[in-house]
Amino acid sequence: MTTSYSTIQSGPEVITVCALFQAQVMYDFSAEPGNNELTVKEGETVTVLNQNVGGGWIEAQNSRGESGLVPEDYLQVGAVSSTTPETTTYPDAYSPESSNSTNTQVANGDNPWSGGGTYTNKTAGGWDTQGYAQTQQNAGDDDDDGEWDEEWDDARSTGGYGETTGEEEGEATGRNTHTHMKISLNKFAFSKIPNPEVYLLAKLPPKGKDRLAIYMGDVGPVWLYPQSPLDCVVADPKKGSKMYGLKSYIEYQVTPNTTNRPVNHRYKHFDWLYERLLEKFGSAIPIPSLPDKQVTGRFEEEFIKMRMERLQGWMCRMCRHPVVSNSDVFQLFLTYRDEKEWKTGKRRAEKDECVGPMVFSLIDPEAPELDIIEVEQKCELFSRFTKEMDDGVKDLLNVGNIHWKRCTGPLRKEYQKIGKAFQNLSSVFNTSGYTGEATLTDALTAAGKTYEEISQIVAEQPRKDLHFLMETNNEYKGLLGCFPDTIGVHKAAIEKVREGDKMVAAGKINTQDKGTMAKRISIMCYSLQAEMNHFHSNRIYDYNRVMQLYLEEQIRFYETIAEKLKQTLGQFTTM
Amino acid sequence: MTTSYSTIQSGPEVITVCALFQAQVMYDFSAEPGNNELTVKEGETVTVLNQNVGGGWIEAQNSRGESGLVPEDYLQVGAVSSTTPETTTYPDAYSPESSNSTNTQVANGDNPWSGGGTYTNKTAGGWDTQGYAQTQQNAGDDDDDGEWDEEWDDARSTGGYGETTGEEEGEATGRNTHTHMKISLNKFAFSKIPNPEVYLLAKLPPKGKDRLAIYMGDVGPVWLYPQSPLDCVVADPKKGSKMYGLKSYIEYQVTPNTTNRPVNHRYKHFDWLYERLLEKFGSAIPIPSLPDKQVTGRFEEEFIKMRMERLQGWMCRMCRHPVVSNSDVFQLFLTYRDEKEWKTGKRRAEKDECVGPMVFSLIDPEAPELDIIEVEQKCELFSRFTKEMDDGVKDLLNVGNIHWKRCTGPLRKEYQKIGKAFQNLSSVFNTSGYTGEATLTDALTAAGKTYEEISQIVAEQPRKDLHFLMETNNEYKGLLGCFPDTIGVHKAAIEKVREGDKMVAAGKINTQDKGTMAKRISIMCYSLQAEMNHFHSNRIYDYNRVMQLYLEEQIRFYETIAEKLKQTLGQFTTM
């Protein structure tokens, strides 16, 4: 029987929107006639009638009882008389504390993240210990259920799974052996770490071809990296349908650089892969979650592009990991030749017994045994580092999010107003009737138009640079969210090993077992070090890369504006 | 007897700050411990306890009764429960509707204008007709009063003039013949226009050397411009004192380009000059007010610099006017050789009878008489143009003011936060213990510092470019504020001329008088056209110049940032 570790993260950081919100109007907005819009003034307080109108609009009512649409950027929604004070901050997908907020999108309409969801860390809430204790597979009836065809990436169209609401992950699989834990866990309240005892005291099977080598590199213990790195391209999303068009889905083409032969996968297959990788490697390697599943506008072009971009990001990260990319299940996903091979491979993967902490049994560091103190110190170091980096990343996401909103909202508006003010003055000057007025009015109009262009450039810029900075940090946020659990396994093991003497005294284990445990915690520590070194080297590359990209685009941004202003400047004359 | 036209503009646009204000918190602010600051959250409402704390701070109290200082940029002050709803807009000196707001400075501490006052149009409220009717001078006892020594530019230290409050212009002169009209006039409620009849029906004295020539130029009627334009430099402010140090004042050195010999003047002398010019030319030529007199921090370096800059601007504008610059009183101000010459000249100027509408008697256009319809059309055109330009200028000031506040407030803060977030991440990365970390952490720190520098650049930029755009528009706002009165004289004259037939019928005038009136309104119209053409040509130059300056600095701004980012970019590497 297989138990999935997928739990839905919930708790205080998920914002409910059922209360009647008051919103503060941040900027003047003039309704366009006939568009069901509502004119509002800066400083006014309105009541939010509907936040889910879409397209960047909120339906609001003013104090005179008039209602209509207002751009959501113009409102600061706060639950003035509600039980959720958290909503005074911007609740969107980049907000560090609001992952999985697919039905709380009050955020910026211009911000693709606010609608696109994030890599939510589905397991951040904690591991299901039982899942690790009962990792026996029994997927015999898998194929008969027609898993290949059924619709588990569209919760709204799954007839037999009425209990999966929009908020939950639509985990409607044919694998009836799955018991999905759809419990709302407060991740700070209790976190279930898989019990490492299963490995520390296990009689290990002989190491086969699956052996995971660790050697000593310049930076310390490192995984064995392949000669040529694996990579793949996720592309060409195609809408398919079945049941005579009643159900539809998107299929992505995944092409690895090894075979250069594309394979097709739907989101649910990515999700299956994620589950397998998490199950098998999660105790040793942080496996980041897939991008969110439940997003509105799922067949809309932009959403598909965004999901593809993020699936590509996720696959890239997996490809770059020497252990993950080399695993049977990952290779199967990338290189299966036909449905038969896929199904056979699937069944084998689901039957894999070497999962959870048992994955450490595959690890074979050729290095001297570390004593428990050193193990503990390293574990502490990694724990502290990942926690602090998590804070730093969230801080950056927060700042970036505010900046995104400022650029697409008030700043855009302001440059527009500057542009309009120049053009306005130009129009007035034009009526002077004074000879020789034209040069100035033309120049002023040009200046005005330039500032309107700048307004556009400013509003579009975040998509060109901040987007990637946010995307990378968001990915790292997801990755870092896996560390508490991964490191938790190690900490639990350390605790167990420290209890060694007591356990011997109590007759639970013998001294040989104690020696085995010491050896194995050392192996675990090498694994953690190799993983941290992998993380660091990737992090250094990723941050260098994204900062280069960000700065390059920022430079282009400032230079473009300077160039535009130069052209305008040439039109003014005091000769 | 002389009656000054100086009235204090007051009315609905002056904001009182005595009410208990509520303020909306615009951005999060964390109090620094021990600094008497108050931590506030975006969206929170606080009560303003004291807006006059200074230094860019407001004392506020939150809903929990805690009080402390909050940066004024972070609050949007609105009289939530007050009688002055106007205060929901930013009430500072650039705000189009709040001139003369020296004791209502709730504005941006970083904005020099908020403290520096504006060219308030002291007479915008309307002319004192009586003043024009009684322009007889009687300043015989002037010198005996020791006018040269007494302190009429510091109302707070004038013992005998207890009635001049901080809000009013401290007009404490030795000229006991002055009856200063310190009445609060609502400029929209009633505007007293000098009665042009005095000129239309006067027996004119023979034209002497004071003749103001108008000739037909390419653009229509124009004043006669001097071969080489007059200019002067206001510089070298020196603090002087008298009465054994009990009273102190600032003396400025004014050096005209004609004599290149500096003369010294205190603010009160500029004010005296302004009064004379207004009295003499105000019906024909808009004479903009001097910069505000009552400003706190008067001996502070920055204030002196700002006042000097504005006195310089005012003097420049007067120098550029062919009629004003050539007048006896203006020449006296610039070129007197000793105290005796000054006093004699002063007395003569104050005795000048050719003031108010009588100034038109000096005008001598060599051009055919215009019929009343044409006169009226031109008057209407100028009236409309100046009104519309006034709106346009105020709009630009409004937008500029908001932009100024954004640059020095939230935007500065935001770039700072971006910078801190990068540096923060760099610090975390620095603890990784990973070999080869240094390049990235150094680069990230550099990026962080660059964004902190950008934050500074963004905050300082308005002083480098927006300042001049605002200054010019502010000057034009003052100038345009004079037009309603100047044009009002013409409109009153037109009305009088239109009544000509009736007046003849009633036996009030004879037909010859009627003919004289028609001739004289035509002369007035040429004067107005010459003045408008002067205004237009100056306007075209001024706006070209200030836009060049603005755009040049804007280009430098964007290029500087791009350059800084380029240097930072070079530090990142993905090799």
Side-chain angles (χ1 to χ4, degrees), chain A residues 528-545:
Chain A
L528 186 58
Q529 286 180 73
E531 186 52 28
M532 280 311 292
N533 285 331
H534 174 75
F535 176 81
H536 287 322
S537 97
N538 274 276
R539 171 178 57 79
I540 288 172
Y541 177 85
D542 288 343
Y543 275 87
N544 267 301
R545 185 72 208 94

Side-chain angles (χ1 to χ4, degrees), chain A residues 24 26-27 42-43 76 88 90 218-219 381 385 388-389 392-393 395-396 399 402-404 406 410-411 414-415 417-418 420-422 424-425 428-429 431-432 434-437 440 443-444 447 451 454 469 473 532-533 536-537 539-541 543-545 547-548 550-552 554-555 557-559 561-562 565-566 568-569 571-574, chain B residues 24-27 42-43 76 90 218-219 381 385 388-389 392-393 395-396 399 402-404 406 410-411 414-415 417-418 420-422 424-425 428-432 434-437 440 443-444 447 451 454 469 473 533 536-537 539-541 543-545 547-548 550-552 554-555 557-559 561-562 565-566 568-569 571-574:
Chain A
Q24 186 77 20
M26 309 278 284
Y27 318 102
E42 189 178 331
Q76 180 169 8
T88 48
Y90 297 103
D218 294 340
V219 296
L381 175 73
F385 179 83
E388 280 171 5
M389 180 169 168
V393 161
D395 180 35
L396 192 56
V399 170
I402 290 168
H403 192 57
W404 189 298
R406 176 156 345 262
L411 215 50
E414 203 159 294
Y415 283 113
K417 276 185 184 166
I418 292 173
K420 289 239 183 288
F422 284 148
N424 184 12
L425 212 51
V428 175
F429 286 179
T431 67
S432 73
Y434 186 76
T435 318
E437 184 76 71
L440 175 61
L444 258 183
Y451 275 89
I454 290 173
L469 189 61
N473 277 284
M532 280 311 292
N533 285 331
H536 287 322
S537 97
R539 171 178 57 79
I540 288 172
Y541 177 85
Y543 275 87
N544 267 301
R545 185 72 208 94
M547 284 303 291
Q548 281 179 335
Y550 180 70
L551 292 173
E552 275 160 11
Q554 281 270 290
I555 291 164
F557 166 74
Y558 287 106
E559 285 181 340
I561 293 178
L565 291 172
K566 267 184 198 164
T568 309
L569 172 62
Q571 296 205 36
F572 289 92
T573 173
T574 44
Chain B
Q24 186 77 21
V25 177
M26 308 280 284
Y27 318 102
E42 190 178 331
Q76 180 169 8
Y90 297 102
D218 294 339
V219 296
L381 175 72
F385 179 83
E388 279 170 6
M389 181 169 168
V393 162
D395 181 34
L396 192 54
V399 170
I402 291 168
H403 192 57
W404 188 299
R406 177 155 347 262
L411 214 52
E414 202 159 295
Y415 282 113
K417 277 185 184 166
I418 292 172
K420 289 238 183 288
F422 284 148
N424 184 11
L425 212 51
V428 175
F429 287 0
N430 208 30
T431 67
S432 72
Y434 185 76
T435 317
E437 184 76 70
L440 175 61
L444 258 185
Y451 275 89
I454 290 174
L469 190 61
N473 276 284
N533 285 332
H536 287 322
S537 98
R539 172 179 57 78
I540 287 172
Y541 177 85
Y543 275 88
N544 267 302
R545 186 70 206 96
M547 284 302 290
Q548 280 178 336
Y550 180 70
L551 292 172
E552 275 160 10
Q554 280 271 290
I555 291 164
F557 167 73
Y558 287 106
E559 284 182 340
I561 293 178
L565 291 171
K566 266 184 197 163
T568 309
L569 171 62
Q571 296 206 36
F572 289 92
T573 173
T574 45

Side-chain angles (χ1 to χ4, degrees), chain B residues 5 8 14 42 44 61 118 165 167 176 204 210 220 237 243 248 257 275 313 323 353 377 442 454 529 544 548 556:
Chain B
Y5 309 106
I8 302 302
V14 173
E42 190 178 331
E44 192 178 340
Q61 186 174 53
T118 62
T165 72
E167 190 178 349
N176 55 11
L204 297 185
D210 282 344
M243 287 180 68
S248 60
N257 62 349
E275 294 287 348
V323 174
E353 292 186 23
Q377 277 171 350
D442 286 353
I454 290 174
Q529 287 180 73
N544 267 302
Q548 280 178 336
R556 198 163 301 146

Side-chain angles (χ1 to χ4, degrees), chain A residues 293-523:
Chain A
K293 206 185 262 187
Q294 292 300 329
V295 187
T296 51
R298 90 164 22 200
F299 292 125
E300 206 217 328
E301 213 169 294
E302 200 176 338
F303 164 74
I304 292 167
K305 203 178 142 225
M306 174 67 69
R307 170 174 272 184
M308 193 175 73
E309 192 183 314
R310 291 186 166 187
L311 285 174
Q312 172 75 72
W314 189 84
M315 284 301 289
C316 264
R317 192 158 295 279
M318 295 299 100
C319 282
R320 275 156 73 182
H321 200 290
V323 173
V324 171
S325 65
N326 197 39
S327 68
D328 286 347
V329 64
F330 196 73
Q331 287 293 330
L332 168 76
F333 185 85
L334 282 181
T335 62
Y336 75 92
R337 281 158 198 276
D338 50 36
E339 204 176 317
K340 186 162 173 287
E341 194 175 328
W342 170 252
K343 283 188 178 174
T344 316
K346 269 192 72 183
R347 209 171 308 146
R348 195 170 45 245
E350 283 160 0
K351 280 182 182 161
D352 190 354
E353 291 185 23
C354 187
V355 296
M358 286 306 285
V359 77
F360 293 113
S361 68
L362 302 174
I363 289 167
D364 189 9
E366 287 174 351
E369 191 177 318
L370 294 170
D371 74 24
I372 187 75
I373 292 171
E374 207 171 347
V375 169
E376 199 164 6
Q377 278 170 349
K378 291 199 184 299
C379 194
E380 264 313 312
L381 175 73
F382 300 150
S383 176
R384 199 164 53 239
F385 179 83
T386 50
K387 169 75 182 72
E388 280 171 5
M389 180 169 168
D390 192 51
D391 290 344
V393 161
K394 283 174 180 171
D395 180 35
L396 192 56
L397 284 171
N398 227 348
V399 170
N401 191 36
I402 290 168
H403 192 57
W404 189 298
K405 290 168 84 76
R406 176 156 345 262
C407 290
T408 55
L411 215 50
R412 188 199 72 225
K413 205 85 192 167
E414 203 159 294
Y415 283 113
Q416 215 168 31
K417 276 185 184 166
I418 292 173
K420 289 239 183 288
F422 284 148
Q423 289 179 77
N424 184 12
L425 212 51
S426 172
S427 301
V428 175
F429 286 179
N430 208 30
T431 67
S432 73
Y434 186 76
T435 318
E437 184 76 71
T439 311
L440 175 61
T441 55
D442 286 354
L444 258 183
T445 298
K449 286 196 173 139
T450 300
Y451 275 89
E452 284 199 318
E453 281 177 55
I454 290 173
S455 149
Q456 268 310 100
I457 293 170
V458 164
E460 285 162 11
Q461 192 56 25
R463 279 181 194 270
K464 292 184 185 163
D465 49 26
L466 195 51
H467 171 88
F468 298 100
L469 189 61
M470 297 294 270
E471 190 71 28
T472 296
N473 277 284
N474 206 36
E475 224 185 308
Y476 270 88
K477 181 183 133 196
L479 205 48
L480 289 162
C482 303
F483 272 100
D485 289 340
T486 302
I487 289 174
V489 178
H490 291 262
K491 287 193 172 170
I494 291 167
E495 211 172 305
K496 201 58 74 184
V497 172
R498 285 210 171 275
E499 283 171 6
D501 284 333
K502 274 192 222 161
M503 286 166 81
V504 171
K508 284 184 185 168
I509 57 170
N510 59 32
T511 44
Q512 204 193 330
D513 290 336
K514 202 191 131 192
T516 305
M517 292 215 302
K519 223 172 266 160
R520 291 188 181 168
I521 191 99
S522 169
I523 290 172

Side-chain angles (χ1 to χ4, degrees), chain B residues 261-279:
Chain B
R261 192 168 39 78
V263 294
N264 290 324
H265 281 297
R266 285 161 61 187
Y267 182 87
K268 68 171 180 179
H269 304 136
F270 286 93
D271 198 56
W272 176 85
L273 175 64
Y274 163 70
E275 294 287 348
R276 294 289 77 65
L277 295 177
L278 181 62
E279 196 174 48

Side-chain angles (χ1 to χ4, degrees), chain B residues 56-78:
Chain B
W57 297 93
I58 280 182
E59 193 180 3
Q61 186 174 53
N62 65 19
S63 59
R64 293 174 301 284
E66 298 153 359
S67 64
L69 300 176
V70 181
E72 55 192 15
D73 298 359
Y74 285 60
L75 297 182
Q76 180 169 8
V77 179

